[in-house]
Structures are given as structure tokens and as C-alpha cells.
Amino acid sequence: MSFSADDLIHIDADGYRDAYDRLPFAFQHGLHQLPMFQPGALAALAERYKDSPEDYFIAGSAATPGTKFYDVTQNSAKPHEALAQLGNAPVRVLLKRLEMHDSGFRDLRDTLFQRVMELRGGLGDEKIVRLESAVFISSAASTTPFHFDPEVTHFFQIEGPKQYHVFSPDVVAEDDLERFYVRGAVNIGQLDLEGCDPHEEHVFDLEPGRGFHQPQDAPHWVKTGTVRSVSYAFSFETTASRARGHVRAANRYLRVIGMHPQRPGPNPGADHAKAAVMQVVTPTLRGVRKVVRQVSGR
Ligand SMILES: [Fe+2]
């Protein structure tokens, strides 16, 4: 399948470059018109996932946006069974890594990624370490609780309305980021919604044809409206974004022993050394401290 990027995504280029990986930023798109996103095609796609439990996640709705992410009831149904339940109960179905299950979705992911990289001005000396796409199918009145993800995302509303509440990543305290990244796993970060200033919140009233860019670590919670919602997203990590995670993990070690480590960014030499030591299989506190002494001269 081949796609024309110009028909698929319309972004204000200057605004996008300025906001990239820093601020949530809205755009228009045409994905909802593609045959692959029509209800029959999505049902057939869900059926194909039934023997790939590692590639889907099915959950109920959160009681409130502040509910802990994994406290939400998990659902043992297969994706196509869960889709059939959507009219009766609050259910969220996430089909991950679409590109591994369907070549059309691989082409779509690649076309969109290439387009946003052109807009960004290329990858520079960064390399992509993970690039994945997913579809989210949710029943009416379901809530995804407050969390952040360690990846840059572009989110596209396909069917129905969805209200997306998102903050820029700089509302998250370094301490919270460090606690998350020290675990070294690609997962989701948990935060308290009460700790975030409502004035800093961006609210996107999404409907088919609307989408937005979500920076890495941008905290968000989401609720659907009165009918089923379908959304698509592609997300990626680069060598630089993953290295920032390693720096934060090293900083967590340092904070535990009473130091006040510098956040990633201002001192690239120190960042590089911290990131390198955290990629050792089992980083030790002594190792991290030694590296920081070397790069800081003490
Ligand atoms: Fe998320």
C-alpha cells in the first residue's frame, strides 16, 4: 500500500518545529478516511491478534482520572471478543505494534514518520531505537488514568470524540522522572494529578481528522464521549531520548546518596558519562559516583 503524506497529515511547519518534543501541538489529518480504519477492517484486525497476547492490552475504565494505571480492572477477553462487548461495558482495547501484524500499517507508520522527520529537519546524529504504532478502541464514557510515557507520540483521532488532557513535560519534577527511569524498563510513569496546576493543562477536543503531537514524558489523561472512540498513534524513542532516561537513572543513584545532580541537557560531557555507566548490566553506586567525580572534577 502506498500513501501520500500530503493527504495524510497537515501540520503548521514552523509551529511544529518550535513545539517538537516540548509542547503539545495540534494538527489535522486524513487517516479516518482510509479503508484500514473502517469498522469491518478493525474487527478483522482485532481477530488477527488473538494469539499474540504480548501485543494487546485490554482493560476496563478507570474510576477517576487519578486512579493508578494498573489498578484498573484487566480483562481476559481476546481483542475481537472485547470489541463485541464495547456496547455493554466500559472497555479499552489497545492493539500494539500494528506494523508487525499488517504491512499496510507498516507503510502508514513509515510514511507518517518520514513526514514528521522532514518537518523536524531530520534526525541529526540521533538514531531511532524504537518506532511503533498502535490503535486504541474504547467504549463510550471510559477514562484512561493520569500517566506519562517515555516516548515521542503523534496521536490521530479516527472515530468518535475523545477529550485528551495533557501537560507539557516540564511540569514533571526531575525527582519523579528519575524514579521512573531508574527502573530501566519501557513502561508508563505514574503521577499525582492533584500535583499539576490546571492552568498548565492543554485540552484537545479530538474528533475524526484531528490529532496532536505529544512530547516524551508529557503527563496526560483521556476520556471518551458518548460513543465508541478509535484512535491511532505512532511513537518512537531515539538514542538521545533513551540517553536522557539513562542520565536520569544515574541521577537517581546520586540523589539517594545526598548529591544534587544536574538534570540532562546543560552538561553534555557529564550526560554522556552517566548514560554510559547506566548501560552496564548492573550499574553500581560506586561506579556512578566515580564517573560523576571524573566529569565534575571532584
Ligand atoms: Fe499514554
Side-chain angles (χ1 to χ4, degrees):
M1 203 176 298
S2 70
F3 299 100
S4 158
D6 290 339
D7 296 334
L8 291 182
I9 186 165
H10 311 280
I11 308 187
D12 172 65
D14 292 339
Y16 177 76
R17 233 187 318 271
D18 183 51
Y20 178 83
D21 205 20
R22 203 170 60 78
L23 293 170
F25 188 74
F27 57 74
Q28 305 284 320
H29 69 84
L31 269 59
H32 56 302
Q33 286 156 349
L34 297 173
M36 63 209 289
F37 286 114
Q38 303 315 307
L42 289 174
L45 178 70
E47 172 103 39
R48 290 218 297 279
Y49 269 74
K50 64 176 184 293
D51 297 322
S52 306
E54 68 289 357
D55 278 355
Y56 65 78
F57 178 76
I58 300 174
S61 174
T64 67
T67 303
K68 296 283 175 245
F69 201 89
Y70 289 115
D71 285 354
V72 175
T73 333
Q74 304 225 359
N75 188 318
S76 58
K78 303 273 188 190
H80 63 288
E81 295 164 347
L83 282 198
Q85 298 169 2
L86 274 180
N88 309 325
V91 180
R92 292 177 290 136
V93 178
L94 166 60
L95 302 178
K96 302 192 247 185
R97 293 180 274 277
L98 299 169
E99 58 282 351
M100 304 295 283
H101 296 266
D102 185 287
S103 63
F105 277 105
R106 187 178 319 126
D107 293 344
L108 178 66
R109 177 202 68 173
D110 293 346
T111 304
L112 291 169
F113 176 71
Q114 196 179 353
R115 179 71 185 129
V116 299
M117 280 302 111
E118 283 165 14
L119 288 164
R120 186 200 169 187
L123 261 174
D125 54 6
E126 294 179 50
K127 289 191 179 62
I128 290 294
V129 289
R130 187 170 66 86
L131 170 60
E132 292 178 359
S133 58
V135 70
F136 306 76
I137 308 170
S138 313
S139 55
S142 69
T143 299
T144 304
F146 196 50
H147 68 281
F148 63 87
D149 306 288
E151 59 201 16
V152 173
T153 292
H154 294 76
F155 194 91
F156 302 74
Q157 189 63 7
I158 302 293
E159 184 190 312
K162 186 173 245 184
Q163 195 175 61
Y164 208 110
H165 297 250
V166 57
F167 294 80
S168 67
D170 60 12
V171 307
V172 189
E174 271 306 298
D175 202 27
D176 283 329
L177 288 167
E178 290 166 9
R179 243 193 298 271
F180 169 67
Y181 281 103
V182 79
R183 286 183 281 129
V186 175
N187 207 311
I188 52 138
Q190 210 81 78
L191 282 177
D192 282 331
L193 184 56
E194 296 80 51
C196 291
D197 179 352
H199 294 108
E200 308 250 4
E201 186 182 52
H202 300 246
V203 181
F204 293 101
D205 281 308
L206 299 176
E207 56 185 50
R210 291 195 184 161
F212 78 102
H213 159 63
Q214 176 173 284
Q216 181 177 357
D217 303 327
H220 53 281
W221 68 274
V222 186
K223 68 174 184 183
T224 59
T226 54
V227 292
R228 167 176 119 145
S229 161
V230 177
S231 318
Y232 165 87
F234 71 93
S235 304
F236 55 88
E237 291 178 275
T238 68
T239 41
S241 69
R242 201 164 266 191
R244 275 198 302 276
H246 291 313
V247 172
R248 290 192 160 113
N251 283 352
R252 176 71 187 154
Y253 280 69
L254 298 170
R255 212 178 285 277
V256 164
I257 57 165
M259 295 180 77
H260 300 285
Q262 191 167 41
R263 63 184 299 154
N267 186 342
D271 286 352
H272 188 74
K274 287 176 185 171
V277 74
M278 292 311 289
Q279 287 175 77
V280 174
V281 177
T282 311
T284 63
L285 191 50
R286 258 177 68 204
V288 177
R289 192 162 22 182
K290 187 170 151 213
V291 163
V292 173
R293 284 216 191 89
Q294 282 165 356
V295 296
S296 64
R298 61 192 172 85

PDB file of all heavy atoms in Angstrom, residues 116-131:
ATOM      1  N   VAL A 116       7.029  13.560   9.509  1.00  0.00           N
ATOM      2  CA  VAL A 116       7.305  14.388  10.679  1.00  0.00           C
ATOM      3  C   VAL A 116       8.808  14.628  10.852  1.00  0.00           C
ATOM      4  O   VAL A 116       9.224  15.678  11.332  1.00  0.00           O
ATOM      5  CB  VAL A 116       6.658  13.862  11.989  1.00  0.00           C
ATOM      6  CG1 VAL A 116       5.147  13.811  11.875  1.00  0.00           C
ATOM      7  CG2 VAL A 116       7.218  12.536  12.431  1.00  0.00           C
ATOM      8  N   MET A 117       9.609  13.683  10.405  1.00  0.00           N
ATOM      9  CA  MET A 117      11.060  13.915  10.477  1.00  0.00           C
ATOM     10  C   MET A 117      11.487  15.006   9.501  1.00  0.00           C
ATOM     11  O   MET A 117      12.358  15.825   9.807  1.00  0.00           O
ATOM     12  CB  MET A 117      11.819  12.621  10.196  1.00  0.00           C
ATOM     13  CG  MET A 117      11.904  11.692  11.382  1.00  0.00           C
ATOM     14  SD  MET A 117      12.694  12.453  12.829  1.00  0.00           S
ATOM     15  CE  MET A 117      11.334  12.606  13.961  1.00  0.00           C
ATOM     16  N   GLU A 118      10.857  15.045   8.302  1.00  0.00           N
ATOM     17  CA  GLU A 118      11.144  16.143   7.363  1.00  0.00           C
ATOM     18  C   GLU A 118      10.799  17.478   8.015  1.00  0.00           C
ATOM     19  O   GLU A 118      11.546  18.448   7.944  1.00  0.00           O
ATOM     20  CB  GLU A 118      10.294  15.999   6.096  1.00  0.00           C
ATOM     21  CG  GLU A 118      10.770  14.948   5.121  1.00  0.00           C
ATOM     22  CD  GLU A 118       9.683  14.606   4.088  1.00  0.00           C
ATOM     23  OE1 GLU A 118       8.684  15.351   3.964  1.00  0.00           O
ATOM     24  OE2 GLU A 118       9.849  13.569   3.437  1.00  0.00           O
ATOM     25  N   LEU A 119       9.635  17.519   8.662  1.00  0.00           N
ATOM     26  CA  LEU A 119       9.194  18.766   9.298  1.00  0.00           C
ATOM     27  C   LEU A 119      10.134  19.163  10.423  1.00  0.00           C
ATOM     28  O   LEU A 119      10.395  20.335  10.662  1.00  0.00           O
ATOM     29  CB  LEU A 119       7.784  18.601   9.858  1.00  0.00           C
ATOM     30  CG  LEU A 119       6.675  18.537   8.813  1.00  0.00           C
ATOM     31  CD1 LEU A 119       5.394  17.980   9.427  1.00  0.00           C
ATOM     32  CD2 LEU A 119       6.421  19.913   8.228  1.00  0.00           C
ATOM     33  N   ARG A 120      10.616  18.173  11.143  1.00  0.00           N
ATOM     34  CA  ARG A 120      11.515  18.453  12.261  1.00  0.00           C
ATOM     35  C   ARG A 120      12.886  18.921  11.763  1.00  0.00           C
ATOM     36  O   ARG A 120      13.645  19.526  12.507  1.00  0.00           O
ATOM     37  CB  ARG A 120      11.675  17.183  13.107  1.00  0.00           C
ATOM     38  CG  ARG A 120      12.462  17.401  14.360  1.00  0.00           C
ATOM     39  CD  ARG A 120      13.018  16.109  14.905  1.00  0.00           C
ATOM     40  NE  ARG A 120      13.982  16.388  15.963  1.00  0.00           N
ATOM     41  CZ  ARG A 120      14.734  15.481  16.540  1.00  0.00           C
ATOM     42  NH1 ARG A 120      14.644  14.212  16.183  1.00  0.00           N
ATOM     43  NH2 ARG A 120      15.601  15.813  17.460  1.00  0.00           N
ATOM     44  N   GLY A 121      13.217  18.619  10.513  1.00  0.00           N
ATOM     45  CA  GLY A 121      14.528  18.975   9.980  1.00  0.00           C
ATOM     46  C   GLY A 121      15.506  17.812  10.085  1.00  0.00           C
ATOM     47  O   GLY A 121      16.718  18.018  10.165  1.00  0.00           O
ATOM     48  N   GLY A 122      14.980  16.587  10.096  1.00  0.00           N
ATOM     49  CA  GLY A 122      15.840  15.396  10.113  1.00  0.00           C
ATOM     50  C   GLY A 122      16.165  14.943  11.524  1.00  0.00           C
ATOM     51  O   GLY A 122      15.829  15.617  12.501  1.00  0.00           O
ATOM     52  N   LEU A 123      16.847  13.827  11.593  1.00  0.00           N
ATOM     53  CA  LEU A 123      17.179  13.222  12.886  1.00  0.00           C
ATOM     54  C   LEU A 123      18.526  13.694  13.419  1.00  0.00           C
ATOM     55  O   LEU A 123      18.886  13.373  14.545  1.00  0.00           O
ATOM     56  CB  LEU A 123      17.253  11.700  12.721  1.00  0.00           C
ATOM     57  CG  LEU A 123      16.045  10.867  13.123  1.00  0.00           C
ATOM     58  CD1 LEU A 123      16.269   9.417  12.746  1.00  0.00           C
ATOM     59  CD2 LEU A 123      15.751  10.987  14.612  1.00  0.00           C
ATOM     60  N   GLY A 124      19.279  14.437  12.583  1.00  0.00           N
ATOM     61  CA  GLY A 124      20.624  14.839  13.010  1.00  0.00           C
ATOM     62  C   GLY A 124      21.470  13.609  13.251  1.00  0.00           C
ATOM     63  O   GLY A 124      21.416  12.648  12.486  1.00  0.00           O
ATOM     64  N   ASP A 125      22.228  13.600  14.357  1.00  0.00           N
ATOM     65  CA  ASP A 125      23.063  12.426  14.609  1.00  0.00           C
ATOM     66  C   ASP A 125      22.368  11.408  15.512  1.00  0.00           C
ATOM     67  O   ASP A 125      22.971  10.471  16.001  1.00  0.00           O
ATOM     68  CB  ASP A 125      24.427  12.835  15.175  1.00  0.00           C
ATOM     69  CG  ASP A 125      24.283  13.702  16.411  1.00  0.00           C
ATOM     70  OD1 ASP A 125      23.132  13.874  16.879  1.00  0.00           O
ATOM     71  OD2 ASP A 125      25.312  14.193  16.906  1.00  0.00           O
ATOM     72  N   GLU A 126      21.052  11.617  15.722  1.00  0.00           N
ATOM     73  CA  GLU A 126      20.306  10.637  16.519  1.00  0.00           C
ATOM     74  C   GLU A 126      19.929   9.439  15.654  1.00  0.00           C
ATOM     75  O   GLU A 126      19.830   9.543  14.440  1.00  0.00           O
ATOM     76  CB  GLU A 126      19.006  11.257  17.064  1.00  0.00           C
ATOM     77  CG  GLU A 126      19.239  12.366  18.059  1.00  0.00           C
ATOM     78  CD  GLU A 126      17.930  12.958  18.551  1.00  0.00           C
ATOM     79  OE1 GLU A 126      17.051  12.190  18.957  1.00  0.00           O
ATOM     80  OE2 GLU A 126      17.796  14.192  18.510  1.00  0.00           O
ATOM     81  N   LYS A 127      19.702   8.325  16.314  1.00  0.00           N
ATOM     82  CA  LYS A 127      19.192   7.137  15.614  1.00  0.00           C
ATOM     83  C   LYS A 127      17.903   6.702  16.304  1.00  0.00           C
ATOM     84  O   LYS A 127      17.737   6.902  17.511  1.00  0.00           O
ATOM     85  CB  LYS A 127      20.211   6.003  15.688  1.00  0.00           C
ATOM     86  CG  LYS A 127      21.445   6.240  14.852  1.00  0.00           C
ATOM     87  CD  LYS A 127      22.277   4.955  14.753  1.00  0.00           C
ATOM     88  CE  LYS A 127      23.506   5.168  13.887  1.00  0.00           C
ATOM     89  NZ  LYS A 127      24.417   6.183  14.439  1.00  0.00           N
ATOM     90  N   ILE A 128      17.031   6.089  15.530  1.00  0.00           N
ATOM     91  CA  ILE A 128      15.784   5.576  16.107  1.00  0.00           C
ATOM     92  C   ILE A 128      16.059   4.225  16.771  1.00  0.00           C
ATOM     93  O   ILE A 128      16.663   3.346  16.163  1.00  0.00           O
ATOM     94  CB  ILE A 128      14.726   5.407  14.994  1.00  0.00           C
ATOM     95  CG1 ILE A 128      14.271   6.780  14.512  1.00  0.00           C
ATOM     96  CG2 ILE A 128      13.531   4.590  15.473  1.00  0.00           C
ATOM     97  CD1 ILE A 128      13.525   7.586  15.557  1.00  0.00           C
ATOM     98  N   VAL A 129      15.665   4.082  18.016  1.00  0.00           N
ATOM     99  CA  VAL A 129      15.843   2.784  18.679  1.00  0.00           C
ATOM    100  C   VAL A 129      14.528   2.021  18.793  1.00  0.00           C
ATOM    101  O   VAL A 129      14.511   0.821  19.045  1.00  0.00           O
ATOM    102  CB  VAL A 129      16.503   2.903  20.072  1.00  0.00           C
ATOM    103  CG1 VAL A 129      17.954   3.282  19.941  1.00  0.00           C
ATOM    104  CG2 VAL A 129      15.782   3.889  20.968  1.00  0.00           C
ATOM    105  N   ARG A 130      13.399   2.720  18.649  1.00  0.00           N
ATOM    106  CA  ARG A 130      12.100   2.034  18.681  1.00  0.00           C
ATOM    107  C   ARG A 130      11.092   2.915  17.956  1.00  0.00           C
ATOM    108  O   ARG A 130      11.062   4.122  18.180  1.00  0.00           O
ATOM    109  CB  ARG A 130      11.661   1.818  20.144  1.00  0.00           C
ATOM    110  CG  ARG A 130      10.426   0.975  20.329  1.00  0.00           C
ATOM    111  CD  ARG A 130      10.227   0.612  21.813  1.00  0.00           C
ATOM    112  NE  ARG A 130       9.935   1.786  22.627  1.00  0.00           N
ATOM    113  CZ  ARG A 130       8.709   2.281  22.806  1.00  0.00           C
ATOM    114  NH1 ARG A 130       7.659   1.716  22.246  1.00  0.00           N
ATOM    115  NH2 ARG A 130       8.533   3.349  23.558  1.00  0.00           N
ATOM    116  N   LEU A 131      10.314   2.317  17.069  1.00  0.00           N
ATOM    117  CA  LEU A 131       9.280   3.056  16.327  1.00  0.00           C
ATOM    118  C   LEU A 131       8.092   2.121  16.193  1.00  0.00           C
ATOM    119  O   LEU A 131       8.176   1.099  15.517  1.00  0.00           O
ATOM    120  CB  LEU A 131       9.815   3.458  14.938  1.00  0.00           C
ATOM    121  CG  LEU A 131       8.801   4.021  13.939  1.00  0.00           C
ATOM    122  CD1 LEU A 131       8.127   5.278  14.458  1.00  0.00           C
ATOM    123  CD2 LEU A 131       9.495   4.318  12.600  1.00  0.00           C
TER     124      LEU A 131
END
